[in-house]
Coordinates of all heavy atoms in Angstrom, one line a residue:
K101 N -13.8 -11.1 -15.9 CA -13.4 -9.9 -15.3 C -11.9 -9.6 -15.7 O -11.1 -10.5 -15.7 CB -13.5 -10.0 -13.8 CG -12.9 -8.8 -13.0 CD -12.9 -9.1 -11.6 CE -12.1 -8.0 -10.9 NZ -11.7 -8.3 -9.6
K102 N -11.7 -8.4 -16.1 CA -10.3 -8.0 -16.5 C -9.5 -7.7 -15.2 O -10.0 -7.0 -14.4 CB -10.3 -6.8 -17.4 CG -9.0 -6.5 -18.0 CD -9.0 -5.4 -19.0 CE -7.6 -5.2 -19.5 NZ -7.5 -4.4 -20.6
L103 N -8.3 -8.2 -15.2 CA -7.5 -8.0 -14.0 C -6.8 -6.6 -14.1 O -6.4 -6.2 -15.2 CB -6.4 -9.0 -13.9 CG -6.8 -10.5 -13.7 CD1 -5.6 -11.4 -13.7 CD2 -7.6 -10.6 -12.4
T104 N -6.6 -6.0 -12.9 CA -5.9 -4.7 -12.9 C -4.4 -5.1 -13.0 O -4.0 -6.2 -12.9 CB -6.1 -4.0 -11.5 OG1 -5.5 -4.8 -10.5 CG2 -7.5 -3.8 -11.2
P105 N -3.6 -4.1 -13.4 CA -2.1 -4.4 -13.5 C -1.5 -5.0 -12.2 O -0.7 -6.0 -12.3 CB -1.5 -3.1 -13.8 CG -2.6 -2.3 -14.4 CD -3.8 -2.7 -13.8
G106 N -2.0 -4.6 -11.0 CA -1.5 -5.1 -9.8 C -1.9 -6.6 -9.6 O -1.2 -7.4 -9.1
E107 N -3.2 -6.9 -9.9 CA -3.7 -8.2 -9.8 C -3.0 -9.1 -10.8 O -2.7 -10.3 -10.5 CB -5.2 -8.3 -10.1 CG -6.0 -7.6 -9.0 CD -7.5 -7.5 -9.4 OE1 -7.8 -7.3 -10.6 OE2 -8.3 -7.5 -8.5
Q108 N -2.7 -8.6 -12.0 CA -2.0 -9.4 -13.1 C -0.6 -9.8 -12.6 O -0.1 -10.9 -12.7 CB -1.9 -8.6 -14.4 CG -1.2 -9.3 -15.5 CD -1.9 -10.6 -15.9 OE1 -3.1 -10.7 -15.9 NE2 -1.1 -11.6 -16.4
N109 N 0.1 -8.8 -12.0 CA 1.4 -9.0 -11.5 C 1.4 -10.0 -10.4 O 2.3 -10.9 -10.4 CB 2.0 -7.7 -11.0 CG 3.5 -7.7 -10.6 OD1 4.2 -8.6 -11.1 ND2 3.9 -6.9 -9.6
L110 N 0.5 -9.9 -9.4 CA 0.4 -10.9 -8.4 C 0.1 -12.3 -8.9 O 0.7 -13.3 -8.5 CB -0.7 -10.5 -7.4 CG -0.9 -11.4 -6.2 CD1 0.3 -11.6 -5.4 CD2 -2.1 -10.9 -5.4
S111 N -0.8 -12.4 -9.9 CA -1.1 -13.7 -10.5 C 0.1 -14.3 -11.2 O 0.3 -15.5 -11.0 CB -2.2 -13.5 -11.6 OG -2.5 -14.6 -12.3
E112 N 0.9 -13.5 -11.8 CA 2.1 -14.0 -12.5 C 3.1 -14.5 -11.4 O 3.8 -15.6 -11.6 CB 2.8 -13.0 -13.3 CG 2.0 -12.6 -14.6 CD 2.5 -11.4 -15.3 OE1 3.6 -10.9 -14.9 OE2 1.9 -11.0 -16.3
K113 N 3.3 -13.8 -10.3 CA 4.2 -14.2 -9.3 C 3.7 -15.5 -8.6 O 4.5 -16.4 -8.3 CB 4.4 -13.1 -8.2 CG 5.1 -11.9 -8.8 CD 5.7 -11.0 -7.8 CE 6.3 -9.8 -8.3 NZ 7.2 -9.9 -9.4
I114 N 2.4 -15.6 -8.4 CA 1.9 -16.9 -7.8 C 2.1 -18.1 -8.7 O 2.5 -19.1 -8.3 CB 0.4 -16.7 -7.5 CG1 0.2 -15.8 -6.3 CG2 -0.2 -18.1 -7.1 CD1 -1.2 -15.4 -6.0
F115 N 1.9 -17.8 -10.0 CA 2.2 -18.9 -11.0 C 3.6 -19.3 -11.0 O 3.9 -20.5 -10.9 CB 1.9 -18.4 -12.4 CG 2.3 -19.3 -13.5 CD1 1.6 -20.5 -13.8 CD2 3.5 -19.1 -14.2 CE1 2.1 -21.4 -14.8 CE2 3.9 -19.9 -15.2 CZ 3.2 -21.1 -15.5
L116 N 4.6 -18.4 -10.9 CA 6.0 -18.7 -10.9 C 6.3 -19.4 -9.5 O 7.1 -20.4 -9.5 CB 6.8 -17.5 -11.1 CG 6.8 -16.9 -12.5 CD1 7.5 -15.6 -12.5 CD2 7.4 -17.9 -13.5
F117 N 5.7 -19.0 -8.5 CA 6.0 -19.6 -7.1 C 5.5 -21.1 -7.2 O 6.2 -22.0 -6.6 CB 5.2 -18.9 -6.0 CG 5.4 -19.5 -4.7 CD1 6.6 -19.2 -4.0 CD2 4.5 -20.3 -4.1 CE1 6.8 -19.8 -2.7 CE2 4.7 -20.9 -2.9 CZ 5.9 -20.6 -2.2
N118 N 4.5 -21.4 -7.8 CA 4.0 -22.8 -8.0 C 4.9 -23.6 -8.9 O 4.7 -24.8 -8.9 CB 2.5 -22.8 -8.5 CG 1.6 -22.3 -7.4 OD1 1.8 -22.5 -6.2 ND2 0.5 -21.7 -7.9
Q119 N 5.8 -23.0 -9.6 CA 6.7 -23.7 -10.4 C 8.0 -24.1 -9.8 O 8.9 -24.7 -10.4 CB 7.0 -22.9 -11.7 CG 5.8 -22.5 -12.5 CD 5.0 -23.6 -13.0 OE1 5.5 -24.6 -13.5 NE2 3.7 -23.6 -12.7
I120 N 8.2 -23.8 -8.5 CA 9.4 -24.2 -7.7 C 9.6 -25.7 -7.8 O 8.7 -26.5 -7.5 CB 9.3 -23.8 -6.2 CG1 9.3 -22.2 -6.2 CG2 10.5 -24.3 -5.5 CD1 9.1 -21.7 -4.8
P121 N 10.8 -26.1 -8.3 CA 11.1 -27.6 -8.4 C 11.0 -28.3 -7.1 O 11.1 -27.7 -6.0 CB 12.5 -27.5 -9.0 CG 12.8 -26.2 -9.5 CD 11.9 -25.3 -8.7
D122 N 11.0 -29.6 -7.2 CA 11.0 -30.5 -6.0 C 12.4 -30.9 -5.6 O 12.5 -31.7 -4.6 CB 10.2 -31.7 -6.2 CG 8.7 -31.4 -6.4 OD1 8.2 -30.4 -5.8 OD2 8.0 -32.1 -7.2
A123 N 13.4 -30.4 -6.3 CA 14.8 -30.8 -6.0 C 15.7 -29.7 -6.5 O 15.3 -28.8 -7.3 CB 15.1 -32.1 -6.7
C124 N 16.9 -29.7 -5.9 CA 18.0 -28.7 -6.3 C 18.2 -28.9 -7.9 O 18.4 -29.9 -8.4 CB 19.2 -29.0 -5.6 SG 20.6 -27.9 -6.1
T125 N 18.2 -27.7 -8.5 CA 18.4 -27.7 -10.0 C 19.8 -28.2 -10.4 O 20.0 -28.9 -11.4 CB 18.3 -26.2 -10.5 OG1 17.0 -25.8 -10.1 CG2 18.5 -26.2 -12.0
T126 N 20.8 -28.1 -9.5 CA 22.2 -28.5 -9.8 C 22.4 -30.0 -9.4 O 22.9 -30.7 -10.3 CB 23.2 -27.6 -9.0 OG1 22.9 -26.3 -9.5 CG2 24.6 -28.0 -9.4
C127 N 22.1 -30.3 -8.1 CA 22.5 -31.7 -7.7 C 21.4 -32.7 -7.5 O 21.6 -33.8 -7.1 CB 23.3 -31.6 -6.4 SG 22.3 -31.1 -5.0
A128 N 20.2 -32.2 -7.7 CA 18.9 -33.0 -7.5 C 18.6 -33.4 -6.1 O 17.8 -34.4 -5.9 CB 19.0 -34.2 -8.5
E129 N 19.2 -32.8 -5.1 CA 18.8 -33.1 -3.7 C 17.4 -32.7 -3.5 O 16.9 -31.6 -3.9 CB 19.7 -32.3 -2.7 CG 19.4 -32.6 -1.3 CD 20.2 -31.8 -0.3 OE1 21.3 -31.4 -0.6 OE2 19.8 -31.7 0.9
P130 N 16.6 -33.6 -2.9 CA 15.2 -33.4 -2.8 C 14.9 -32.1 -1.9 O 15.6 -31.9 -0.9 CB 14.6 -34.6 -2.1 CG 15.7 -35.7 -2.3 CD 17.0 -35.0 -2.4
F131 N 13.8 -31.4 -2.2 CA 13.4 -30.2 -1.5 C 12.0 -30.5 -0.9 O 11.1 -30.8 -1.7 CB 13.4 -29.0 -2.4 CG 12.9 -27.8 -1.7 CD1 13.7 -27.1 -0.8 CD2 11.6 -27.2 -2.1 CE1 13.2 -26.0 -0.1 CE2 11.2 -26.0 -1.5 CZ 12.0 -25.4 -0.5
D132 N 11.8 -30.4 0.4 CA 10.5 -30.5 1.0 C 9.9 -29.1 1.2 O 10.4 -28.4 2.1 CB 10.7 -31.2 2.4 CG 9.4 -31.5 3.1 OD1 8.3 -31.0 2.6 OD2 9.4 -32.1 4.2
K133 N 8.9 -28.8 0.4 CA 8.3 -27.5 0.5 C 7.6 -27.2 1.8 O 7.3 -26.0 2.1 CB 7.3 -27.4 -0.6 CG 7.9 -27.4 -2.0 CD 6.8 -27.3 -3.1 CE 7.5 -27.4 -4.5 NZ 6.6 -27.3 -5.6
K134 N 7.4 -28.2 2.6 CA 6.8 -28.0 3.9 C 7.7 -27.8 5.1 O 7.4 -27.5 6.2 CB 5.8 -29.2 4.3 CG 4.7 -29.4 3.3 CD 3.9 -30.6 3.6 CE 2.8 -30.7 2.5 NZ 2.0 -32.0 2.7
D135 N 9.0 -28.0 4.8 CA 10.1 -27.8 5.8 C 10.5 -26.4 5.9 O 11.2 -25.8 4.9 CB 11.3 -28.8 5.4 CG 12.4 -28.7 6.4 OD1 12.7 -27.7 7.0 OD2 13.0 -29.8 6.6
K136 N 10.3 -25.7 7.0 CA 10.6 -24.3 7.1 C 12.1 -24.1 7.1 O 12.5 -23.0 6.6 CB 10.0 -23.8 8.5 CG 8.5 -23.6 8.4 CD 8.0 -23.0 9.7 CE 6.4 -23.0 9.7 NZ 5.9 -22.3 10.9
G137 N 12.9 -25.0 7.6 CA 14.3 -24.9 7.6 C 14.9 -24.9 6.2 O 15.7 -24.1 5.8
M138 N 14.3 -25.7 5.4 CA 14.7 -25.8 4.0 C 14.3 -24.5 3.3 O 15.1 -23.9 2.5 CB 14.1 -27.0 3.3 CG 14.8 -28.3 3.6 SD 14.1 -29.6 2.5 CE 15.5 -30.6 2.3
A139 N 13.1 -24.1 3.5 CA 12.6 -22.8 2.9 C 13.5 -21.7 3.2 O 13.6 -20.7 2.4 CB 11.1 -22.6 3.3
A140 N 14.0 -21.7 4.4 CA 14.9 -20.5 4.9 C 16.3 -20.6 4.3 O 16.9 -19.5 4.1 CB 14.9 -20.5 6.4
S141 N 16.8 -21.8 4.0 CA 18.2 -21.9 3.6 C 18.4 -22.1 2.2 O 19.5 -22.0 1.7 CB 18.9 -23.1 4.4 OG 18.2 -24.3 4.2
W142 N 17.4 -22.6 1.4 CA 17.6 -22.8 0.0 C 17.3 -21.5 -0.7 O 16.6 -20.6 -0.2 CB 16.6 -23.9 -0.5 CG 17.0 -25.3 0.0 CD1 17.3 -25.7 1.2 CD2 17.1 -26.4 -0.9 NE1 17.6 -27.0 1.2 CE2 17.4 -27.5 0.0 CE3 16.8 -26.7 -2.2 CZ2 17.6 -28.8 -0.5 CZ3 17.0 -28.0 -2.7 CH2 17.4 -29.0 -1.9
K143 N 17.8 -21.4 -1.9 CA 17.6 -20.1 -2.7 C 16.8 -20.4 -4.0 O 17.1 -21.4 -4.7 CB 19.0 -19.5 -3.2 CG 19.9 -19.2 -2.0 CD 19.3 -18.1 -1.2 CE 20.3 -17.7 -0.1 NZ 19.7 -17.0 1.0
V144 N 15.9 -19.6 -4.3 CA 15.1 -19.7 -5.5 C 15.5 -18.5 -6.4 O 15.6 -17.4 -5.9 CB 13.6 -19.5 -5.2 CG1 12.7 -19.5 -6.4 CG2 13.1 -20.6 -4.2
V145 N 15.7 -18.9 -7.6 CA 16.1 -17.8 -8.6 C 15.0 -17.9 -9.7 O 14.7 -18.9 -10.3 CB 17.5 -18.1 -9.3 CG1 17.8 -17.1 -10.4 CG2 18.6 -18.2 -8.2
I146 N 14.4 -16.7 -9.9 CA 13.3 -16.6 -10.9 C 13.7 -15.6 -12.0 O 14.1 -14.5 -11.7 CB 12.0 -16.1 -10.2 CG1 11.5 -17.1 -9.1 CG2 10.9 -15.9 -11.2 CD1 10.4 -16.5 -8.3
R147 N 13.6 -16.1 -13.2 CA 13.8 -15.3 -14.4 C 12.5 -15.1 -15.0 O 12.0 -15.9 -15.8 CB 14.8 -16.0 -15.3 CG 16.2 -16.1 -14.6 CD 17.3 -16.7 -15.5 NE 17.5 -15.8 -16.6 CZ 18.2 -16.2 -17.7 NH1 18.8 -17.4 -17.7 NH2 18.5 -15.3 -18.6
E148 N 11.9 -14.0 -14.6 CA 10.5 -13.7 -15.0 C 10.3 -13.7 -16.6 O 9.4 -14.2 -17.1 CB 10.0 -12.4 -14.4 CG 9.7 -12.5 -12.9 CD 9.1 -11.3 -12.4 OE1 8.0 -10.9 -12.9 OE2 9.6 -10.8 -11.4
E149 N 11.3 -13.0 -17.2 CA 11.2 -12.9 -18.7 C 11.2 -14.2 -19.4 O 10.6 -14.4 -20.5 CB 12.4 -12.0 -19.2 CG 13.7 -12.6 -19.1 CD 14.4 -12.5 -17.8 OE1 13.8 -11.9 -16.9 OE2 15.6 -13.0 -17.7
L150 N 11.8 -15.3 -18.8 CA 11.8 -16.6 -19.4 C 10.8 -17.5 -18.7 O 10.6 -18.7 -19.0 CB 13.2 -17.2 -19.3 CG 14.3 -16.5 -20.0 CD1 15.6 -17.2 -19.7 CD2 14.1 -16.5 -21.5
Q151 N 10.1 -17.0 -17.6 CA 9.3 -17.8 -16.8 C 10.0 -19.1 -16.3 O 9.4 -20.2 -16.4 CB 7.9 -18.1 -17.4 CG 7.1 -16.8 -17.7 CD 5.6 -17.1 -17.8 OE1 5.2 -18.2 -18.0 NE2 4.8 -16.1 -17.7
Q152 N 11.2 -18.9 -15.8 CA 12.0 -20.0 -15.4 C 12.3 -19.9 -13.9 O 12.6 -18.8 -13.4 CB 13.3 -19.9 -16.2 CG 14.3 -21.0 -15.9 CD 15.5 -20.8 -16.8 OE1 16.2 -19.8 -16.6 NE2 15.8 -21.7 -17.7
V153 N 12.1 -21.0 -13.2 CA 12.3 -21.0 -11.7 C 13.4 -22.1 -11.5 O 13.2 -23.2 -11.9 CB 11.0 -21.3 -11.0 CG1 11.3 -21.4 -9.5 CG2 9.9 -20.3 -11.3
R154 N 14.4 -21.7 -10.7 CA 15.4 -22.6 -10.4 C 15.6 -22.6 -8.9 O 15.4 -21.6 -8.2 CB 16.8 -22.2 -11.0 CG 16.7 -22.4 -12.5 CD 18.0 -22.2 -13.2 NE 17.9 -22.5 -14.6 CZ 18.9 -22.2 -15.5 NH1 20.0 -21.6 -15.0 NH2 18.7 -22.5 -16.7
L155 N 16.0 -23.8 -8.3 CA 16.1 -23.9 -6.9 C 17.5 -24.5 -6.6 O 18.0 -25.4 -7.2 CB 15.0 -24.9 -6.4 CG 15.0 -25.3 -4.9 CD1 14.6 -24.1 -4.1 CD2 14.0 -26.4 -4.7
F156 N 18.2 -23.9 -5.6 CA 19.5 -24.3 -5.2 C 19.6 -24.6 -3.7 O 19.2 -23.8 -2.9 CB 20.5 -23.2 -5.6 CG 20.5 -22.9 -7.1 CD1 19.8 -21.9 -7.6 CD2 21.2 -23.8 -8.0 CE1 19.7 -21.6 -8.9 CE2 21.1 -23.5 -9.3 CZ 20.4 -22.4 -9.8
C157 N 20.2 -25.8 -3.4 CA 20.5 -26.2 -2.0 C 21.7 -25.4 -1.5 O 22.5 -24.8 -2.2 CB 20.7 -27.7 -1.9 SG 22.3 -28.2 -2.6
P158 N 21.8 -25.4 -0.1 CA 22.9 -24.6 0.5 C 24.3 -25.1 0.0 O 25.2 -24.3 -0.2 CB 22.8 -24.9 2.0 CG 21.3 -25.2 2.1 CD 20.9 -25.9 0.9
T159 N 24.5 -26.4 -0.2 CA 25.8 -26.9 -0.6 C 26.1 -26.4 -2.0 O 27.3 -25.9 -2.2 CB 25.7 -28.5 -0.7 OG1 25.4 -29.0 0.6 CG2 27.1 -29.0 -1.2
C160 N 25.2 -26.4 -2.9 CA 25.4 -25.8 -4.3 C 25.6 -24.3 -4.3 O 26.5 -23.8 -5.0 CB 24.3 -26.2 -5.2 SG 24.3 -28.0 -5.6
I161 N 24.9 -23.6 -3.4 CA 25.1 -22.2 -3.3 C 26.5 -21.9 -2.8 O 27.2 -21.0 -3.4 CB 24.1 -21.6 -2.3 CG1 22.7 -21.8 -2.8 CG2 24.4 -20.1 -1.9 CD1 21.6 -21.5 -1.8
N162 N 27.0 -22.6 -1.8 CA 28.3 -22.4 -1.3 C 29.4 -22.7 -2.3 O 30.4 -22.0 -2.5 CB 28.6 -23.2 0.0 CG 27.8 -22.6 1.2 OD1 27.5 -21.5 1.2 ND2 27.5 -23.5 2.1
K163 N 29.2 -23.8 -3.1 CA 30.2 -24.1 -4.2 C 30.2 -23.0 -5.2 O 31.3 -22.6 -5.7 CB 29.8 -25.5 -4.8 CG 30.0 -26.7 -4.0 CD 29.7 -27.9 -4.7 CE 29.9 -29.2 -3.9 NZ 29.4 -30.4 -4.5
A164 N 29.1 -22.5 -5.5 CA 29.0 -21.4 -6.5 C 29.7 -20.1 -6.0 O 30.5 -19.5 -6.7 CB 27.6 -21.0 -6.9
K165 N 29.5 -19.8 -4.7 CA 30.2 -18.7 -4.1 C 31.7 -18.9 -4.1 O 32.5 -18.0 -4.4 CB 29.7 -18.5 -2.7 CG 28.3 -17.8 -2.6 CD 27.9 -17.7 -1.2 CE 26.5 -17.1 -1.1 NZ 26.0 -16.9 0.3
E166 N 32.2 -20.1 -3.8 CA 33.6 -20.4 -3.7 C 34.2 -20.2 -5.1 O 35.3 -19.7 -5.3 CB 33.8 -21.8 -3.2 CG 33.6 -22.0 -1.7 CD 33.6 -23.4 -1.3 OE1 33.9 -24.3 -2.1 OE2 33.3 -23.6 -0.1
A167 N 33.5 -20.7 -6.2 CA 34.0 -20.6 -7.5 C 34.0 -19.1 -8.0 O 35.0 -18.7 -8.6 CB 33.0 -21.3 -8.5
I168 N 33.1 -18.3 -7.6 CA 33.1 -16.9 -7.9 C 34.2 -16.2 -7.2 O 35.0 -15.4 -7.8 CB 31.7 -16.2 -7.5 CG1 30.6 -16.7 -8.5 CG2 31.8 -14.7 -7.5 CD1 29.2 -16.4 -8.0
N169 N 34.4 -16.5 -5.9 CA 35.6 -15.9 -5.2 C 36.9 -16.3 -5.8 O 37.8 -15.5 -5.9 CB 35.5 -16.4 -3.7 CG 34.3 -15.6 -3.0 OD1 33.8 -14.6 -3.4 ND2 33.9 -16.2 -1.8
A170 N 37.1 -17.6 -6.2 CA 38.3 -18.1 -6.8 C 38.5 -17.3 -8.1 O 39.7 -16.9 -8.4 CB 38.3 -19.6 -7.0
S171 N 37.5 -17.1 -8.9 CA 37.6 -16.4 -10.2 C 38.1 -15.0 -9.9 O 38.9 -14.5 -10.6 CB 36.3 -16.5 -10.9 OG 36.1 -17.8 -11.4
Q172 N 37.4 -14.4 -8.9 CA 37.8 -13.0 -8.6 C 39.2 -12.8 -8.2 O 39.9 -11.9 -8.5 CB 36.8 -12.4 -7.6 CG 37.0 -10.9 -7.3 CD 36.8 -10.1 -8.5 OE1 35.8 -10.2 -9.3 NE2 37.7 -9.2 -8.8
T173 N 39.7 -13.8 -7.3 CA 41.1 -13.8 -6.9 C 42.0 -13.9 -8.1 O 43.0 -13.2 -8.1 CB 41.3 -14.9 -5.9 OG1 40.4 -14.7 -4.7 CG2 42.7 -15.0 -5.4
N174 N 41.7 -14.8 -9.0 CA 42.5 -15.0 -10.2 C 42.6 -13.7 -11.0 O 43.6 -13.3 -11.5 CB 42.0 -16.2 -11.0 CG 42.3 -17.5 -10.4 OD1 43.1 -17.6 -9.5 ND2 41.6 -18.5 -10.8
L175 N 41.4 -13.1 -11.2 CA 41.4 -11.8 -11.9 C 42.2 -10.7 -11.2 O 42.9 -10.0 -11.9 CB 40.0 -11.4 -12.1 CG 39.1 -12.2 -13.1 CD1 37.6 -11.7 -13.0 CD2 39.6 -12.1 -14.5
D176 N 42.1 -10.7 -9.9 CA 42.9 -9.7 -9.2 C 44.4 -10.0 -9.3 O 45.2 -9.0 -9.5 CB 42.5 -9.7 -7.7 CG 41.1 -9.2 -7.4 OD1 40.5 -8.6 -8.3 OD2 40.6 -9.4 -6.3
T177 N 44.8 -11.2 -9.3 CA 46.2 -11.6 -9.4 C 46.7 -11.2 -10.8 O 47.8 -10.7 -11.0 CB 46.4 -13.1 -9.2 OG1 45.9 -13.4 -7.9 CG2 47.8 -13.5 -9.3
I178 N 45.9 -11.5 -11.8 CA 46.3 -11.2 -13.2 C 46.4 -9.6 -13.4 O 47.4 -9.1 -14.0 CB 45.3 -11.7 -14.2 CG1 45.4 -13.3 -14.2 CG2 45.5 -11.2 -15.6 CD1 44.2 -14.0 -15.0
A179 N 45.4 -8.9 -12.8 CA 45.5 -7.5 -12.9 C 46.7 -6.9 -12.2 O 47.4 -5.9 -12.7 CB 44.2 -6.9 -12.3
Q180 N 47.1 -7.4 -11.0 CA 48.3 -6.9 -10.3 C 49.6 -7.3 -11.1 O 50.5 -6.5 -11.1 CB 48.3 -7.6 -9.0 CG 47.3 -7.0 -8.0 CD 47.3 -7.7 -6.7 OE1 48.0 -8.6 -6.4 NE2 46.4 -7.3 -5.8
S181 N 49.6 -8.4 -11.7 CA 50.8 -8.8 -12.4 C 51.0 -8.0 -13.8 O 52.2 -7.9 -14.2 CB 50.8 -10.3 -12.7 OG 49.8 -10.6 -13.7
T182 N 50.0 -7.5 -14.3 CA 50.1 -6.7 -15.5 C 50.3 -5.2 -15.2 O 50.5 -4.4 -16.1 CB 48.9 -6.9 -16.4 OG1 47.7 -6.5 -15.7 CG2 48.8 -8.3 -16.9
S183 N 50.3 -4.8 -14.0 CA 50.4 -3.4 -13.6 C 51.8 -3.0 -13.5 O 52.7 -3.7 -13.2 CB 49.7 -3.1 -12.2 OG 48.4 -3.4 -12.3

């Protein structure tokens, strides 16, 4: 049976969902797929074009946000000093 475009899209998303790693992509902290608290606080990043699934724990997410904020602050400081 040939799948409709909607069925094909759903099939691809289910395939990618099944590719979720068992640990944080950055720090390797284990992830329990049955733990609702973990499911709510961890972040999944899916790059469909590469069929790549990455998983990030709350600690790594916060570190990334802090790094982004620090970079933005540095850019703002540089922009103000050149004005």
Side-chain angles (χ1 to χ4, degrees):
K101 175 186 169 193
K102 186 172 178 167
L103 297 177
T104 66
E107 291 171 328
Q108 179 66 31
N109 187 29
L110 179 61
S111 176
E112 290 170 8
K113 291 197 184 314
I114 290 171
F115 169 77
L116 290 171
F117 181 80
N118 288 329
Q119 302 303 311
I120 293 175
D122 294 326
C124 176
T125 301
T126 304
C127 71
E129 180 179 340
F131 177 71
D132 180 357
K133 293 179 182 179
K134 296 177 183 175
D135 183 323
K136 289 183 182 182
M138 284 185 147
S141 61
W142 288 48
K143 301 292 181 201
V144 177
V145 177
I146 298 174
R147 296 182 66 190
E148 288 186 54
E149 67 279 358
L150 300 176
Q151 293 203 344
Q152 184 180 63
V153 181
R154 293 185 175 169
L155 180 68
F156 299 97
C157 70
T159 302
C160 290
I161 293 165
N162 288 334
K163 286 180 183 177
K165 286 180 181 177
E166 288 171 6
I168 290 168
N169 289 339
S171 292
Q172 186 60 47
T173 300
N174 288 340
L175 289 174
D176 291 345
T177 301
I178 292 169
Q180 288 175 359
S181 67
T182 59
S183 299

